[in-house]
Amino acid sequence: MSKKKILTIVGARPQFIKLAPLCKKIDQYYQHCVVHTGQHFDDNMSKIFFEEMGIRKPDINLNIRGGLHGHSTGNMLIELEKVYVDKKPALVIVFGDTNSTLAGALVASKLCIPVLHIEAGLRSFDKHMPEEINRICTDHMSTILSAPTQTAITNLTNEGLTKNVYFHGDIMLEAHHYFMKHIKDSHHPSFTNQLNLSHHTFALMTLHRASNTDDKMVLTDIMTTLGNLNIPIIFPLHPRTKNKLTEFNIQCPSNIQCIEPVGYLDMLTLLKETSIVLTDSGGLQKEAFFVKKPCITLRDTTEWVETIHAGANRLVMDTPKKLNRDFLQQAIQSIDQYSFLGAPFGDGNTTDKIMDALG
């Protein structure tokens, strides 16, 4: 009897991480085709991730690069449809909330192919975020919904989605545990030595969301305000942010050390050794929680409300485009008052639960 064919769609850096603990298990029991849309195409944002994390190369790379949301998503729809018609998968797996996620689910839905959405049910309740639209639409097109938290289950229930909804926990937690052990076992070199920083005396920052980077006044305000903080900041530059800093002729303050994007293992090393995290990334908010590092989120909403409730995370934007400088200063000064209550992201065995749901 031939194995059921499963097609997995990835395109962005966090999705490669989520694929890592799942890929080998699917390969073992199913015909498995991994499709990379090409959404992240910079070597430091894509290729290095597959190499350093030991994930096999994608079976298909669509090389769909850049462009506005409609243009890139439209191209993904066209090319993915060709792949689905050719491969005839019994199931399509998508992760998270990117344009690749939406395109992968929409093509499958049109062709009546079941969809498994990993990280279902997240809501920021901010529809100005493209990710919010992507995740809502994907959930409503999916056949199996793998939720990372009980809050996500509640969100799905409130939208009438109750069939084939499972609390599997967060697949990122499982990946995080695996790769933290990998760092320890391989004696991964510390970035702090290369950057001439003492352990635990710097902030780690990532910044890439359009609401923060695409408006010159907003980006200038963020950089100016961060420049007034009395702490060194290590800032791996996302290509979008790097381009906008150049376009707007914004100089990074002297306490912010801009570096090239780093691989996942190097990011985990920085995270392990930092004193506090500054980010607009959903994934990094969680990973800060995993290693019990205080997090300041440069947004006015978060999908990961569990980190707020646990006392581990603070929001410092009054609106999507207005940084509250007082909130930011207070969040920095109260670093010893953060807490990390509970285990809202599951037990770290998400992939086994997902495999059970596949049947």
Side-chain angles (χ1 to χ4, degrees):
M1 182 183 295
S2 63
K3 295 180 179 179
K4 182 165 71 172
K5 187 177 294 183
I6 290 180
L7 211 154
T8 298
I9 309 299
V10 292
R13 184 163 122 156
Q15 294 166 341
F16 311 148
I17 301 167
K18 295 165 192 171
L19 174 65
L22 186 61
C23 190
K24 290 180 181 178
K25 292 183 179 179
I26 297 179
D27 284 348
Q28 186 176 352
Y29 296 103
Y30 300 94
Q31 290 186 61
H32 187 207
C33 178
V34 177
V35 181
H36 181 4
T37 64
Q39 184 172 336
H40 278 175
F41 52 87
D42 180 278
D43 276 356
N44 285 336
M45 297 293 286
S46 177
K47 182 180 176 183
I48 191 173
F49 264 58
F50 285 91
E51 291 175 350
E52 75 171 5
M53 293 192 298
I55 308 171
R56 65 177 177 81
K57 290 183 179 180
D59 300 284
I60 298 171
N61 192 328
L62 300 179
N63 291 307
I64 297 169
R65 303 183 172 192
L68 297 175
H69 285 285
H71 182 267
S72 63
T73 306
N75 284 338
M76 290 177 195
L77 293 171
I78 293 168
E79 297 306 318
L80 285 172
E81 184 175 55
K82 296 175 186 176
V83 172
Y84 290 13
V85 169
D86 177 52
K87 297 296 182 181
K88 298 179 175 58
L91 179 75
V92 169
I93 297 176
V94 295
F95 300 86
D97 54 21
T98 68
N99 290 341
S100 300
T101 309
L102 176 63
L106 183 55
V107 172
S109 178
K110 294 287 188 182
L111 295 174
C112 298
I113 301 169
V115 176
L116 164 62
H117 184 200
I118 296 175
E119 212 173 67
L122 298 187
R123 298 292 182 268
S124 68
F125 302 100
D126 177 6
K127 290 190 177 179
H128 292 98
M129 292 175 59
E131 296 87 351
E132 184 77 352
I133 303 301
N134 290 347
R135 61 173 72 107
I136 291 172
C137 292
T138 299
D139 282 339
H140 284 264
M141 290 185 287
S142 294
T143 314
I144 304 172
L145 296 112
S146 173
T149 65
Q150 290 293 345
T151 302
I153 297 279
T154 300
N155 292 336
L156 293 169
T157 300
N158 290 341
E159 294 176 16
L161 298 174
T162 58
K163 185 178 180 181
N164 294 327
V165 174
Y166 303 95
F167 170 55
H168 287 153
D170 197 320
I171 198 169
M172 280 291 289
L173 178 60
E174 185 169 349
H176 177 91
H177 285 164
Y178 175 82
F179 288 111
M180 275 297 192
K181 183 178 185 299
H182 182 79
I183 289 173
K184 183 178 179 181
D185 290 348
S186 64
H187 305 289
H188 197 68
S190 170
F191 246 110
T192 54
N193 294 335
Q194 299 176 36
L195 299 171
N196 297 317
L197 288 167
S198 299
H199 291 199
H200 311 297
T201 60
F202 66 94
L204 173 63
M205 179 170 77
T206 68
L207 193 76
H208 76 281
R209 293 196 180 274
S211 58
N212 283 331
T213 62
D214 291 5
D215 184 304
K216 182 177 181 179
M217 290 183 63
V218 175
L219 186 55
T220 299
D221 186 36
I222 289 173
M223 299 307 289
T224 301
T225 303
L226 295 175
N228 292 326
L229 299 177
N230 188 28
I231 186 172
I233 298 172
I234 298 299
F235 185 20
L237 266 178
H238 189 285
R240 172 208 285 274
T241 312
K242 183 177 182 179
N243 291 339
K244 289 300 180 180
L245 288 170
T246 300
E247 177 185 338
F248 298 146
N249 194 27
I250 298 173
Q251 301 297 317
C252 282
S254 59
N255 66 317
I256 299 180
Q257 186 172 349
C258 297
I259 62 175
E260 290 298 312
V262 298
Y264 185 54
L265 300 186
D266 287 335
M267 179 60 85
L268 287 183
T269 301
L270 286 170
L271 181 61
K272 189 169 67 169
E273 298 183 358
T274 191
S275 56
I276 194 164
V277 171
L278 301 161
T279 189
D280 59 5
S281 161
L284 196 54
Q285 292 174 54
K286 287 186 300 178
E287 297 220 71
F289 183 88
F290 297 161
V291 293
K292 294 181 167 48
K293 299 290 183 176
C295 182
I296 294 172
T297 296
L298 300 165
R299 288 166 50 189
D300 65 330
T301 62
T302 178
E303 307 84 350
W304 302 107
V305 294
E306 295 82 5
T307 62
I308 303 290
H309 297 158
N313 191 4
R314 310 279 174 86
L315 303 176
V316 294
M317 305 285 276
D318 287 331
T319 71
K321 293 191 174 185
K322 189 177 188 305
L323 178 66
N324 188 314
R325 298 185 179 191
D326 290 338
F327 282 0
L328 177 58
Q329 194 65 46
Q330 291 167 11
I332 290 284
Q333 292 173 345
S334 62
I335 193 171
D336 58 344
Q337 297 175 20
Y338 288 69
S339 60
F340 304 86
L341 303 174
F345 300 107
D347 59 9
N349 293 308
T350 297
T351 57
D352 287 340
K353 296 180 176 69
I354 290 172
M355 294 301 292
D356 287 343
L358 293 180

